[in-house]
Amino acid sequence: MPTTDAYGQGVQIAALTDAPNAATLAQNLADALAQRGVMRFASASARAATITSPVEGMVSWLQDTNSLEVYDGTAWRAVPYGTQWTTYAVSWTATTTNPSLGNGTLVGQYMKIGTTCHIYIKLVIGSTTNMGVGTYRFSLPFTTATITNSDPGSLRTIFSRSSTPNHGTGNSPLGNGWTTTDQIWFPSSTPGDENVWTNTQPWTLTTTNIIRVDGTYQTAT
């Protein structure tokens, strides 16, 4: 009768009284140790096809999303592991005619842990930036989640410029299953009022104006 390891992990160790069988010995050790280490899979679907009955405490690495996950007895959950901020190509669009950046700058960054995404966007208007026409939106790094009777998140927006008003904060609520921000709202000249951000509202963008967007939202996957 095989015994188990001294750490209570259920790894079977052949006894001297067992019939010699090198293949069984190797297989028992390999199977036991593999599921107790960090298992590597190409994707979540590949993992599901291989591990049809996961056991609580299993840990896996998904190569397509570069994510570390642990099974908690019900589902695979993301494990933070020194996550870093990553840049992404932000699209700045308008409902009628898209703007063109010219010599301005537009930078997007995100940090994703499981289905939680932290985001930061910075737009600086340049002297050759074409403002386009219509309501502005920025692209998101990941599609937003669909939340029953709720929203996946809301982003904060900040403007900076030399004219009056020279600084202010706004917002952009996010809808279910979206790939871009919603309308971005900024305070108007009327106290307590806000205007949707367009090429003319609340003001016409000019060189060195800065728009920042940051916040956290739930992603679809």
Side-chain angles (χ1 to χ4, degrees):
M1 177 68 66
T3 59
T4 57
D5 66 283
Y7 297 95
Q9 298 302 298
V11 179
Q12 292 188 346
I13 303 172
L16 292 176
T17 55
D18 293 335
N21 191 321
T24 298
L25 173 64
Q27 189 70 57
N28 287 344
L29 289 174
D31 289 347
L33 295 175
Q35 64 175 305
R36 287 164 175 80
V38 179
M39 298 174 286
R40 291 173 290 179
F41 298 96
S43 63
S45 59
R47 179 182 62 194
T50 304
I51 307 177
T52 56
S53 299
V55 177
E56 185 174 357
M58 283 183 169
V59 180
S60 69
W61 173 264
L62 301 182
Q63 295 168 324
D64 60 340
T65 57
N66 289 332
S67 57
L68 184 68
E69 299 183 352
V70 62
Y71 191 73
D72 67 358
T74 302
W76 290 95
R77 309 294 185 185
V79 179
Y81 63 94
T83 305
Q84 297 180 349
W85 284 85
T86 302
T87 58
Y88 78 101
V90 185
S91 294
W92 176 29
T93 59
T95 52
T96 301
T97 303
N98 287 334
S100 58
L101 190 60
N103 63 357
T105 59
L106 177 58
V107 177
Q109 296 175 293
Y110 71 87
M111 180 171 63
K112 187 172 184 290
I113 303 173
T115 56
T116 298
C117 182
H118 305 286
I119 184 175
Y120 178 78
I121 298 170
K122 182 179 180 180
L123 168 67
V124 181
I125 303 301
S127 61
T128 62
T129 299
N130 185 307
M131 308 308 171
V133 179
T135 302
Y136 293 136
R137 287 179 171 83
F138 291 118
S139 63
L140 300 171
F142 302 96
T143 302
T144 64
T146 298
I147 312 296
T148 303
N149 298 323
S150 187
D151 303 308
S154 182
L155 303 178
R156 179 183 63 166
T157 57
I158 304 171
F159 72 81
S160 300
R161 63 182 191 146
S162 58
S163 306
T164 301
N166 58 20
H167 183 82
T169 59
N171 64 89
S172 180
L174 298 178
N176 292 321
W178 288 5
T179 58
T180 68
T181 61
D182 191 6
Q183 296 172 338
I184 295 174
W185 295 82
F186 282 123
S188 71
S189 57
T190 302
D193 189 29
E194 290 186 335
N195 287 330
V196 174
W197 186 37
T198 71
N199 59 299
T200 60
Q201 294 291 335
W203 68 88
T204 300
L205 292 169
T206 59
T207 303
T208 72
N209 284 184
I210 301 175
I211 306 296
R212 297 177 174 90
V213 179
D214 69 274
T216 299
Y217 69 95
Q218 299 178 62
T219 64
T221 56

